[in-house]
Amino acid sequence: MAQNQFLSIKPNFSPRWWYPMHYTSSSDKVWKLSFSTLQKMASQSKALCALKKNHQNNHSLIALDGSENKLVKKSGKKQHHLWKKRDSTGSGQKAMSFVQIISRLPNEKEAVYGALDKWVAWETEFPLIAAAKALRILTKRSQWKRVIQLAKWMLSKGQGDTMATYDCLLMAFNMDGRMDEATDLWNMILHKHTRSISKRLFSRIIALYHHHNMHDNVIEVFGDMEELGVRPDEDTLRRIARAFEALGEFEKRRLALNKYQMPYKYIHFKGERVRVRNRITDEMSSLNSKTPHK
């Protein structure tokens, strides 16, 4: 059939999606489509397929050199990973297996470390996300000895050197009554991460010392906070004031409260933000009335 001839199609319905279509008569409803238009549409679809293939293979582009008529390969862009990708897929199941392994073991350092080393022996990289989740699960279950064992094992492998791990370890030392180890850990943190210690970690160590009535250590940590420019929160300031009061240093207590206390605070009451008087201010005013003046 010649290219200038037409294909006559007489459908039972009126297809609106057929393009290009020529409606010749309103009586017989004959649709005519040119053969040359079909060839143009086929060639356009082939060109689109070729462009997609070239776009997918952009890592090895081929260019034609006109002088020597040789094919010259041009290498595409290579994506370099600046850090290791830590995949969190299946980390919850790994964390539960961590907890189950530790829970079955006796309370001995060699047995715990040996079992954990066997568990991670076939891992391509250290399962840090799973270990952090296991640490959180053990903390919620109040298994403080296991928290200490797992955190120390992570730090011995050079992993988990974060403020969150130190916070869990300090809390576990506090609940287990191991104050000497807590003091050694805090001194290490203070010398290693002097400028990057968070306010939360300062509050944790002050709460730990206050819980065991170590008032001298509370005042010492408060001095480090002032030196580093860390402002204590309301609860931490109340513990510092009680430590000064227990040591009989009422003037330093008054100066600390004057410097860091807020006269008012905002609370949410019945869906509204309400300003109320701070309780530390009331305690300070009552203390000033009892303090003898020279």
Side-chain angles (χ1 to χ4, degrees), residues 54-119:
N54 291 333
H55 183 68
Q56 291 174 357
N57 300 327
N58 58 353
H59 61 278
S60 59
L61 299 176
I62 300 176
L64 183 62
D65 192 358
S67 58
E68 299 179 357
N69 293 328
K70 292 182 180 179
L71 293 176
V72 180
K73 289 187 178 180
K74 291 184 179 180
S75 60
K77 295 181 179 179
K78 295 182 179 179
Q79 296 180 356
H80 298 280
H81 294 285
L82 300 179
W83 57 83
K84 287 185 178 181
K85 181 181 178 183
R86 299 193 181 277
D87 192 6
S88 61
T89 305
S91 58
Q93 295 179 356
K94 289 182 181 179
M96 291 304 300
S97 63
F98 255 122
V99 174
Q100 291 173 2
I101 288 172
I102 294 178
S103 300
R104 297 196 205 102
L105 296 175
N107 193 14
E108 296 177 0
K109 177 180 176 181
E110 292 79 10
V112 173
Y113 281 27
L116 292 175
D117 289 340
K118 288 180 182 178
W119 192 83

Side-chain angles (χ1 to χ4, degrees), residues 27-235:
S27 60
D28 55 356
K29 295 185 178 180
V30 177
W31 300 86
K32 293 186 178 180
L33 183 64
S34 62
F35 186 76
S36 59
T37 309
L38 285 174
Q39 282 190 338
K40 286 180 182 179
M41 292 172 65
S43 61
Q44 288 177 1
S45 62
K46 288 182 180 179
L48 285 174
C49 292
L51 284 174
K52 286 183 180 179
K53 286 184 179 180
N54 291 333
H55 183 68
Q56 291 174 357
N57 300 327
N58 58 353
H59 61 278
S60 59
L61 299 176
I62 300 176
L64 183 62
D65 192 358
S67 58
E68 299 179 357
N69 293 328
K70 292 182 180 179
L71 293 176
V72 180
K73 289 187 178 180
K74 291 184 179 180
S75 60
K77 295 181 179 179
K78 295 182 179 179
Q79 296 180 356
H80 298 280
H81 294 285
L82 300 179
W83 57 83
K84 287 185 178 181
K85 181 181 178 183
R86 299 193 181 277
D87 192 6
S88 61
T89 305
S91 58
Q93 295 179 356
K94 289 182 181 179
M96 291 304 300
S97 63
F98 255 122
V99 174
Q100 291 173 2
I101 288 172
I102 294 178
S103 300
R104 297 196 205 102
L105 296 175
N107 193 14
E108 296 177 0
K109 177 180 176 181
E110 292 79 10
V112 173
Y113 281 27
L116 292 175
D117 289 340
K118 288 180 182 178
W119 192 83
V120 299
W122 299 102
E123 296 287 335
T124 55
E125 61 181 27
F126 189 84
L128 184 59
I129 300 176
K133 288 183 179 180
L135 202 64
R136 200 177 305 126
I137 293 171
L138 292 172
T139 303
K140 289 181 180 180
R141 294 182 180 181
S142 300
Q143 298 181 5
W144 304 115
K145 293 185 182 296
R146 302 302 185 185
V147 169
I148 294 170
Q149 292 169 354
L150 180 57
K152 283 187 173 182
W153 174 74
M154 289 170 60
L155 294 173
S156 67
K157 297 297 180 181
Q159 303 290 333
D161 190 9
T162 61
M163 294 299 161
T165 306
Y166 292 142
D167 186 46
C168 287
L169 195 53
L170 285 174
M171 184 168 57
F173 282 144
N174 181 24
M175 302 305 294
D176 203 34
R178 299 160 71 167
M179 293 305 301
D180 295 335
E181 295 185 42
T183 304
D184 295 338
L185 177 63
W186 173 251
N187 292 330
M188 185 273 294
I189 295 170
L190 194 61
H191 287 88
K192 187 177 179 181
H193 308 281
T194 306
R195 296 291 176 181
S196 60
I197 302 177
S198 61
K199 184 190 293 188
R200 177 183 176 182
L201 211 59
F202 275 113
S203 301
R204 175 69 68 188
I205 190 64
I206 286 179
L208 187 147
Y209 287 147
H210 180 265
H211 181 251
H212 293 274
N213 296 323
M214 301 172 67
H215 304 296
D216 293 328
N217 298 84
V218 172
I219 303 305
E220 184 180 354
V221 175
F222 175 62
D224 295 332
M225 292 179 71
E226 282 199 317
E227 185 179 353
L228 296 173
V230 180
R231 186 181 184 90
D233 55 10
E234 183 182 349
D235 295 333

Side-chain angles (χ1 to χ4, degrees), residues 244-245 248-255 287-288 291:
F244 277 125
E245 185 178 355
E249 299 179 355
F250 298 101
E251 184 64 23
K252 291 183 179 178
R253 179 185 187 276
R254 185 181 63 82
L255 292 174
L287 183 67
N288 288 336
T291 304

